[in-house]
Amino acid sequence: MQNPECLVITSEIMRLFRRLCNINKAVIAQFLPSAFEVAQNVNRSDCKVYLTVRNILNMKKQLSVSDWRKLSKVCSERGFGYQAFVALVSKDPGLSELKILFAALHQENFLSLILKAQTLQVFKMYEADCTADDHKFILDTVDEVTNKFQVLTPHIVKPLLFGVGVTSSWKEKCELLGSMLSTHDACVPELSALAAFRHGDFDYAWDQLRKAAAFLGGTNCCPELFHGIVESHILYPNEGLLSKLFDFIQEFSLSLPVSVAEEIDSILNKDVKTVSRFSTVGLSGHCSCCKRKLKKIPLTSEEKDSLLKSVEKRFEVNCKFTTYEAGELHEFKMFLKMSPPFTVVIDGANLFFRTKSSSNPFAIAKKTVKDLEDRGHKILLLGRNHMRGKTGFTSVFKNHITYFVRDRSVDDAYIIYAAVSGGPNTLLVSNDFYGTYYARMPQESRAAFRKWQLSHQVVGTGYLAANLVLPEFSPICQKSEDGSALHIPIVPNSSRNSFSPSGWLCIQRNVTKEQKSKSSTLWPVRKFDVEDVDRHFAFRNHAIQVREKIESSKNNTKSVKNLINVN
């Protein structure tokens, strides 16, 4: 059983020890056995193992093989090796200390094949310190894993790819690991591209990067890959890798992690013909730095055709829980062909029938419709059969078009099909981001779907829809018409979702000497902190924040009146 007193004693001993270490570091060696004795009396869950190892590392920066063996005996349950590895890496002690841990785990028979595979990612962190023996260890581990297992999961393949990326056999091993993956995953082309950039094989790198982007479809590549491209640009400045990266980001509607954006900003500002600044883009689409207005970017005819075909394939889903009635798609297409023109499609079931925040969804519908009517929109409401005949909806949508799908049908495909086929200016009003729908789309259509969604979906402010925020621009990478300015959206390092930028990188290219000398006046430097950016400028984040205020309010009616004046 867990002993709370032991936890308190451990904490007090740690504090006392740190004070003693400030006086005499020689006490470290004498104190270590006492720490082990205390740890023996503590309930050692995975979390406790991690904390125990981390605390001992705080006390003694380097452990000998015997120290690690002593610690492994204390924490001898399953999972010690991985928790010790994680705690050690979090302290960034260097490759030598990691090898000592490996030796101790090997002597105690704790160094399993899976753990060896998972730890290979560290060799990428300490690439400059790797020796020929380290490269041999990496390749031997990969061979051992591939010989033992016929199929590999992404969480095993990813650290193996990080490891082989530092060896000369990177291409051969990357292709082998990719062929053994149990499911399609972007990690293979992403990390293959990372290795290729490191080794200067740029044609192969861009080819793999395009495969990864096509699979991801509008969501970001891993931050390590972006960092790898920046590092390669520094090593090979004549290859124009940054310009190619910008074109790639624009083509696939990607965003930059903030740490990569800071590296790029530093590099670009050293160029006499370039000025880079962090900025925000308001709801109207204007950049706070250069004052340019970003555009709403429509789909090309090829993208639209591809997207409509992929949506049609979703109607073919036929299982017990997701079915479409025979002939319903044909009926729906005929309806769209014969219906009057519309500029807004409303996801009725999503927006108005989740009533946990309101007891009167029809009043909400009336307010939303009035807002859209005032802006000159013609509305198509898509709902389900059980909504038909509701007197509230009949009165609200009496001057607009309505269509009700069968209750057993999955209405997402109808809603998206209607909105995409409606024309380049047709908007979709829904609080659903269609993540499940997106995950099941064909790989080749994902990027087009995300691009369309970012430009055309309107997020209602919660289920009350008190203040619709219509998209005035596409929050994706954009060049100015003359090519002199580039705006790249920025997201947190931990986020791979490009839905709501936390900031923008505003890049002015081909500036004159006079403009460069006056750049601090023309384009003022703004302190940038991704955590402190005012997120109301992104229309989706604005909607989310208003929804949170509504749902946390105790008085629903009073909340609506106050929120009408938001923004």
Side-chain angles (χ1 to χ4, degrees):
M1 294 178 61
Q2 184 173 350
N3 189 341
E5 294 182 359
C6 288
L7 295 177
V8 174
I9 293 171
T10 303
S11 176
E12 292 300 324
I13 290 176
M14 297 299 178
R15 282 199 201 96
L16 176 61
F17 176 74
R18 291 192 186 95
R19 292 180 182 177
L20 291 173
C21 286
N22 290 332
I23 302 172
N24 183 4
K25 293 187 177 182
V27 300
I28 293 175
Q30 289 124 14
F31 181 81
L32 191 59
S34 300
F36 287 135
E37 290 172 10
V38 173
Q40 282 180 324
N41 296 318
V42 178
N43 178 37
R44 296 180 298 279
S45 64
D46 280 353
C47 179
K48 295 297 188 299
V49 171
Y50 173 83
L51 293 174
T52 300
V53 175
R54 190 184 66 178
N55 287 334
I56 290 177
L57 288 170
N58 284 336
M59 292 183 281
K60 186 173 182 179
K61 298 300 181 183
Q62 292 185 342
L63 301 181
S64 65
V65 173
S66 62
D67 290 336
W68 276 113
R69 291 185 66 187
K70 198 179 299 182
L71 184 59
S72 67
K73 289 178 180 178
V74 173
C75 307
S76 58
E77 73 277 6
R78 182 180 179 183
F80 162 75
Y82 183 72
Q83 295 299 326
F85 163 73
V86 172
L88 183 57
V89 170
S90 68
K91 294 298 177 182
D92 193 17
L95 193 57
S96 59
E97 188 72 12
L98 183 67
K99 291 178 182 178
I100 295 173
L101 172 60
F102 281 175
L105 290 173
H106 180 71
Q107 290 182 20
E108 294 296 317
N109 295 321
F110 289 155
L111 188 59
S112 66
L113 183 56
I114 298 299
L115 178 58
K116 285 174 66 176
Q118 291 172 327
T119 56
L120 289 193
Q121 59 188 320
V122 176
F123 289 95
K124 179 67 178 72
M125 297 170 54
Y126 305 114
E127 185 176 349
D129 300 327
C130 288
T131 64
D133 289 338
D134 295 326
H135 290 179
K136 184 177 184 303
F137 174 79
I138 293 170
L139 295 176
D140 288 347
T141 302
V142 173
D143 290 340
E144 193 177 354
V145 171
T146 53
N147 288 334
K148 183 171 181 179
F149 303 106
Q150 294 182 344
V151 178
L152 300 176
T153 58
H155 84 281
I156 295 298
V157 168
K158 190 170 182 178
L160 292 176
L161 288 169
F162 272 117
V164 299
V166 306
T167 69
S168 58
S169 303
W170 62 273
K171 186 180 289 188
E172 172 193 345
K173 297 300 182 184
C174 286
E175 292 177 353
L176 172 63
L177 292 169
S179 67
M180 298 181 66
L181 196 61
S182 61
T183 182
H184 293 294
D185 195 277
C187 70
V188 173
E190 281 182 311
L191 298 182
S192 296
L194 178 61
F197 278 115
R198 177 195 176 279
H199 292 277
D201 191 345
F202 299 123
D203 290 339
Y204 183 81
W206 289 114
D207 179 62
Q208 292 297 308
L209 196 54
R210 287 183 173 279
K211 289 181 180 179
F215 180 84
L216 293 167
T219 54
N220 286 331
C221 300
C222 61
E224 294 88 353
L225 180 51
F226 287 118
H227 283 293
I229 297 174
V230 174
E231 291 172 3
S232 296
H233 170 79
I234 296 172
L235 295 174
Y236 307 96
N238 296 327
E239 292 291 333
L241 294 181
L242 281 189
S243 295
K244 292 179 181 178
L245 175 61
F246 297 154
D247 292 339
F248 176 80
I249 290 174
Q250 183 178 14
E251 179 181 356
F252 289 97
S253 304
L254 303 179
S255 302
L256 279 176
V258 63
S259 59
V260 180
E262 289 170 345
E263 292 180 9
I264 292 175
D265 177 69
S266 177
I267 293 171
L268 292 179
N269 281 317
K270 295 176 183 177
D271 185 350
V272 295
K273 293 185 177 181
T274 307
V275 175
S276 175
R277 295 286 187 266
F278 289 106
S279 70
T280 59
V281 176
L283 291 172
S284 63
H286 287 89
C287 173
S288 63
C289 179
C290 67
K291 310 305 179 185
R292 285 183 171 88
K293 188 180 189 306
L294 274 63
K295 301 176 295 185
K296 184 181 289 187
I297 302 176
L299 295 177
T300 64
S301 58
E302 293 80 8
E303 289 173 331
K304 179 179 177 180
D305 291 341
S306 173
L307 183 54
L308 284 175
K309 287 178 182 178
S310 71
V311 175
E312 286 191 31
K313 289 181 180 179
R314 293 292 296 124
F315 288 98
E316 299 171 4
V317 174
N318 186 15
C319 71
K320 183 176 180 180
F321 301 105
T322 57
T323 60
Y324 298 94
E325 299 289 342
E328 189 173 11
L329 174 59
H330 176 72
E331 294 174 8
F332 184 63
K333 284 184 174 181
M334 291 300 297
F335 165 79
L336 291 178
K337 186 176 180 180
M338 301 298 294
S339 72
F342 52 86
T343 56
V344 170
V345 176
I346 291 182
D347 183 348
N350 171 271
L351 204 61
F352 304 122
F353 267 81
R354 296 183 182 180
T355 58
K356 71 176 184 179
S357 296
S358 174
S359 60
N360 192 352
F362 302 122
I364 301 166
K366 187 175 182 179
K367 172 66 175 66
T368 302
V369 170
K370 181 66 167 60
D371 284 348
L372 293 171
E373 286 176 341
D374 291 345
R375 304 178 197 222
H377 288 289
K378 294 295 183 181
I379 298 170
L380 165 62
L381 171 76
L382 279 171
R384 294 182 179 275
N385 263 342
H386 69 269
M387 298 165 58
R388 190 193 299 270
K390 298 281 186 179
T391 55
F393 268 102
T394 302
S395 61
V396 170
F397 291 98
K398 62 183 178 182
N399 296 323
H400 300 283
I401 312 163
T402 57
Y403 187 90
F404 299 95
V405 302
R406 293 168 175 82
D407 285 338
R408 290 189 65 195
S409 297
V410 180
D411 58 349
D412 287 357
Y414 293 93
I415 293 164
I416 295 170
Y417 189 90
V420 173
S421 62
N425 297 318
T426 303
L427 299 174
L428 167 61
V429 179
S430 177
N431 289 325
D432 187 350
F433 286 107
Y434 304 102
T436 303
Y437 185 89
Y438 166 81
R440 295 175 179 174
M441 289 193 73
Q443 179 178 322
E444 62 272 11
S445 301
R446 289 181 174 181
F449 174 73
R450 191 65 86 197
K451 177 182 175 181
W452 169 83
Q453 189 179 28
L454 289 168
S455 302
H456 295 82
Q457 183 171 348
V458 181
V459 179
T461 54
Y463 307 126
L464 296 180
N467 185 25
L468 288 177
V469 183
L470 304 187
E472 298 290 334
F473 70 102
S474 299
I476 58 178
C477 180
Q478 298 188 25
K479 282 183 183 177
S480 61
E481 292 183 0
D482 59 1
S484 63
L486 179 67
H487 292 86
I488 304 176
I490 300 171
V491 294
N493 295 322
S494 59
S495 173
R496 297 186 67 165
N497 189 354
S498 56
F499 250 102
S500 49
S502 298
W504 292 77
L505 194 62
C506 173
I507 302 171
Q508 308 298 318
R509 301 190 285 192
N510 300 321
V511 303
T512 63
K513 290 184 178 179
E514 183 180 2
Q515 287 176 321
K516 184 73 174 180
S517 64
K518 297 180 179 179
S519 60
S520 59
T521 303
L522 294 173
W523 305 291
V525 178
R526 175 181 177 274
K527 182 183 177 183
F528 182 78
D529 187 339
V530 71
E531 298 299 329
D532 295 333
V533 169
D534 180 9
R535 298 174 73 84
H536 277 73
F537 71 89
F539 57 88
R540 299 180 189 282
N541 280 331
H542 171 81
I544 290 169
Q545 288 194 1
V546 176
R547 177 169 61 192
E548 289 174 351
K549 290 180 181 179
I550 293 172
E551 292 181 344
S552 64
S553 174
K554 294 181 179 179
N555 189 329
N556 206 32
T557 305
K558 185 182 295 185
S559 176
V560 174
K561 293 179 180 179
N562 292 335
L563 286 166
I564 290 177
N565 297 320
V566 171
N567 197 37

